[in-house]
């Protein structure tokens, strides 16, 4: 059953300007942060569109097949935007490639949150530095959502979590897990410390404490998990601004894990017994 | 310093037939398991080529720039295959795209290992069912290598771990971590049980034991961690053939994690205190 408030508009002409939010997604939206991009947030697929509908990002328009419209059904009850209904072929012409997820939603960027806003009420946050790959960033958000992390703080050198691919890989959690960019880096780590957060900096250094050692006894404390880019890791001045350096016990002869996987292990250790 | 046994052959013609192992990698090698593919194992980049050199996959040929030849240096000491030295442009012409890793190696497939061979001496193995995505499969191998898993057993429906992209994402660990395909599935799980392995089946079912509960007390036992595809998970008859069902404690309102991430958490729980 489709919510009866939904304005369904059938579109058969791929050139229809009402579909411009979704046009040439691969090229126009390549750098949404630049003037050539539209800065729009794009959700792909039923699950991610549902999460956008539940988020602070308010849809401007939806484009999808009749089948996906039916699947979304009453999830569209609160929607105040048109649903452009089109065939898969028309959709492919508009976006520039075949889109097997069958539905898209566009939203303007919501106002950015501040670090204090993200910290408010949070028990665990992730702090990222130099995570400049959109897929890794999306994975971090998916892992954060699944493993009890309440917010994400960006230090320097991170990619845009609202980029289309990051949103997709996050399964839409980049729209739901609150995040903020540090205004001063790494100076803003003091804001976390002032709020009682214990700052754990992840490193491959085999001489420091393991995650299990460092997390024990912190159940009643607020914790921030600092993760750097794969390869270089956290910068030394960021390490120095943390409270404790922690490592994952690794097999001999192996190097680091993927950054999102390493973060997931720390998130897991934080809450492995559940709550 | 380059090992003095290495046969370095300069090549300037992209059509040189001696480079055929590396030709049109994207198209010819798309399905290496089919007759249209060559069935070759391809290593990309210095690190992965180094791991191939340390593996049971014996290089037939290498193709790379002078810079990468120098970087590999004495790692090539045992090499009994030519190193075709070419410019980045010639390499791009041969492989069909720009290859920023600068070096490739090809190897024939080594004879397949058997399940008993992989179990021999192993303390922990991963058992995969329906993991048909090459990147996920590669990530599982990378995580297995980093987190103390000694081998991988494939049930039904898994992708080819020797496909180029799987090898690349695994950081070459698909060439080093021993793996075997079950001849009978899920019947071969009995082989594991006969060898004293405790079979832990991962599931999103919120009513079963957590990883932490299930793993406690197993330090002295052999353990097999069974992981199914993202979405459907393990098949019911595979679940029934296991000893215990285990879950990751997840935040409310979230669905599953990526399959390689879920596997990493189980691998981590197995050895979180290190050894």
């Amino acid at each position: 059953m489709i919510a009866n408030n939904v304005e369904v508009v059938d579109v058969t002409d791929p050139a229809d300007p009402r579909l411009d939010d979704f046009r040439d997604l691969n090229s126009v939206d390549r750098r949404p942060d630049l003037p050539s991009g539209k800065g729009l947030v794009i959700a792909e697929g039923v699950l991610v569109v549902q999460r956008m509908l539940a988020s602070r990002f308010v849809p401007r328009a939806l484009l999808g097949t009749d089948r996906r419209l039916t699947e979304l059904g009453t999830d569209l009850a609160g929607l105040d935007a048109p649903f452009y209904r089109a065939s898969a072929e028309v959709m492919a012409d508009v976006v520039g490639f075949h889109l097997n997820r069958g539905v898209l939603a566009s939203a303007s960027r919501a106002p950015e949150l501040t670090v204090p806003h993200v910290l408010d009420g949070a028990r665990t946050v992730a702090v990222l530095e130099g995570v400049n790959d959109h897929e890794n960033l999306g994975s971090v958000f998916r892992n954060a959502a699944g493993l009890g992390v309440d917010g994400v703080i960006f230090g320097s050198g991170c990619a845009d979590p609202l980029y289309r691919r990051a949103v997709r890989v996050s399964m839409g959690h980049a729209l739901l897990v609150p995040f903020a960019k540090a205004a001063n880096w790494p100076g803003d780590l003091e804001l976390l410390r002032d709020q009682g957060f214990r700052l754990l900096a992840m490193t491959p250094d085999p001489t420091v404490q393991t995650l299990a050692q460092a997390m024990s006894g912190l159940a009643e404390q607020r914790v921030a998990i600092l993760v750097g880019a794969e390869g270089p890791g956290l910068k030394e001045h960021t390490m120095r601004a943390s409270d404790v350096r922690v490592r994952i016990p690794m097999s001999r002869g192996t190097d680091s894990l993927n950054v999102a996987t390493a973060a997931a292990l720390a998130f897991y250790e934080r809450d492995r017994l559940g709550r």
Side-chain angles (χ1 to χ4, degrees), chain A:
Chain A
M1 197 179 75
I2 298 156
N4 58 14
N5 63 300
V6 181
E7 181 196 352
V8 178
V9 182
D10 284 302
V11 178
T12 55
D13 177 9
D16 191 318
R18 293 175 297 182
L19 307 186
D20 282 355
D21 276 6
F22 308 106
R23 200 168 301 288
D24 299 331
L25 283 185
N26 264 343
S27 56
V28 178
D29 206 44
R30 196 178 294 273
R31 287 292 305 273
D33 49 326
L34 293 184
S36 59
K38 293 178 201 154
L40 292 177
V41 182
I42 301 288
E44 301 168 80
V46 168
L47 182 64
V48 180
V49 168
Q50 285 167 332
R51 290 194 171 135
M52 178 183 274
L53 289 164
S55 80
R56 63 197 171 93
F57 298 90
V58 181
R60 293 159 42 115
L62 280 75
L63 168 63
T65 61
D66 187 64
R67 182 173 154 198
R68 298 305 182 208
L69 173 61
T70 306
E71 282 176 38
L72 282 164
T74 52
D75 291 329
L76 301 174
L79 180 68
D80 184 23
F83 188 107
Y84 295 109
R85 178 165 56 186
S87 67
E89 294 70 31
V90 169
M91 285 186 68
D93 275 359
V94 174
V95 304
F97 54 91
H98 179 71
L99 191 93
N100 58 18
R101 289 180 184 77
V103 64
L104 294 162
S106 66
S108 297
R109 292 190 172 228
E112 294 199 359
L113 304 178
T114 63
V115 171
H117 181 112
V118 171
L119 299 183
D120 186 31
R123 178 176 173 268
T124 311
V125 296
V127 181
L128 309 181
E129 180 184 66
V131 179
N132 59 8
D133 176 276
H134 288 110
E135 295 201 17
N136 283 339
L137 203 55
S139 296
V140 169
F141 273 88
R142 184 180 182 185
N143 296 341
L147 298 168
V149 171
D150 304 301
V152 177
I153 307 292
F154 290 112
S156 59
C158 291
D160 176 5
L162 298 179
Y163 178 66
R164 188 166 60 87
R165 195 187 310 152
V167 171
R168 184 177 67 223
V169 173
S170 82
M171 306 292 275
H173 290 297
L175 308 177
L176 288 170
V177 176
F179 63 85
K181 192 163 164 35
N184 297 295
W185 181 254
D188 276 4
L189 289 174
E190 284 305 315
L191 297 177
L192 278 75
R193 196 175 278 110
D194 291 347
Q195 295 288 323
F197 280 87
R198 183 92 175 148
L199 310 184
L200 274 57
M202 295 189 72
T203 167
D205 182 346
T207 67
V208 306
Q209 289 186 75
T210 63
L211 278 175
Q213 291 163 340
M215 292 280 190
S216 77
L218 295 183
E220 304 305 317
Q221 258 194 277
R222 308 178 95 179
V223 165
I225 296 162
L226 280 64
V227 185
E230 213 168 311
L234 290 164
K235 291 186 177 157
E236 187 52 35
H237 68 300
T238 309
M239 288 279 197
R240 278 200 297 268
S242 73
D243 294 315
V244 56
R245 301 180 190 207
V246 300
R247 68 179 168 92
I248 297 163
M250 298 285 289
S251 309
R252 280 171 303 175
T254 57
D255 40 17
S256 67
L257 296 165
N258 165 277
V259 61
T261 305
L265 298 179
F267 301 165
Y268 170 79
E269 179 64 45
R270 169 68 165 157
D271 264 336
R272 61 187 275 275
L273 301 177
R275 267 184 291 159

